[in-house]
Amino acid sequence: MIDVRGTTAHAMGEYIFTDSMTGDDVTVQYTFGYKRCADGKVRICLHHSSVPFQAPTSPKVSGAAAATALLTENDVHEAQKAWGNAIKAITKSHQQKQDFVATAAKAAGELYGYGHGNVLFKPTKATKNPFRPTAGDAMSYFVGGSRARMPVSRSTAGAGGLRWCSGTT
């Protein structure tokens, strides 16, 4: 489900990933928020997977936000596709013994709104510190373990965790 509200949009639903280690299909529920940043690119500004999304009763668009291009459902679909492709690219980079941390950092920089405004991000497997307010903190979601400032039990794409080889929305 996608709810477009002017310069922002929210999406919630399920991803079905195939675990490349076992071949099992795994269903993951998600909530994402998107906004168009000053450079014109749509980026993730909210990422959460455990609390159901509740749409606001009315959109609030004013000032600088009113001057930016409005989001469309197609913008959100493209951003979702880019996110899924990034997870697969990080996994492939790790499996091919390439610098998957750099691949993850590049993907996070392109997809999330860090440096462009607040990002509300609470990963599915978050442990002691559930929120990821900075780009550095968000890396735990993608690479996990000692490679990130804020470890989680398992990373989404990288070593020591789930490795996705396909995904659908």
Side-chain angles (χ1 to χ4, degrees):
M1 181 172 128
I2 297 174
D3 182 30
V4 177
R5 299 288 177 130
T7 60
T8 64
H10 297 94
M12 66 181 286
E14 296 178 339
Y15 282 117
I16 299 173
F17 290 107
T18 301
D19 185 322
S20 65
M21 302 300 286
T22 66
D24 294 337
D25 285 343
V26 179
T27 301
V28 178
Q29 295 180 340
Y30 66 84
T31 301
F32 281 101
Y34 299 91
K35 68 179 179 178
R36 188 176 309 282
C37 295
D39 62 0
K41 185 168 182 172
V42 174
R43 288 192 170 85
I44 297 164
C45 63
L46 177 142
H47 178 168
H48 192 271
S49 59
S50 61
V51 176
F53 171 71
Q54 300 242 341
T57 56
S58 63
K60 295 180 181 172
V61 178
S62 63
T68 61
L70 301 180
L71 285 175
T72 66
E73 283 195 33
N74 187 57
D75 289 332
V76 174
H77 286 297
E78 290 298 316
Q80 289 176 323
K81 182 179 176 183
W83 185 86
N85 287 339
I87 295 298
K88 291 187 278 186
I90 296 164
T91 299
K92 183 177 179 181
S93 179
H94 176 263
Q95 290 172 335
Q96 294 178 351
K97 306 220 182 301
Q98 296 170 346
D99 188 354
F100 70 97
V101 175
T103 303
K106 180 179 179 193
E110 287 290 317
L111 297 169
Y112 288 79
Y114 294 111
H116 299 274
N118 292 331
V119 176
L120 308 175
F121 182 12
K122 182 182 180 291
T124 308
K125 304 266 180 212
T127 56
K128 185 177 178 182
N129 301 304
F131 300 102
R132 305 296 185 258
T134 69
D137 295 339
M139 287 300 290
S140 67
Y141 180 78
F142 297 104
V143 299
S146 62
R147 292 170 297 276
R149 292 184 352 191
M150 194 174 294
V152 293
S153 57
R154 298 190 300 181
S155 68
T156 293
L162 301 173
R163 296 172 181 95
W164 309 117
C165 61
S166 68
T168 59
T169 57

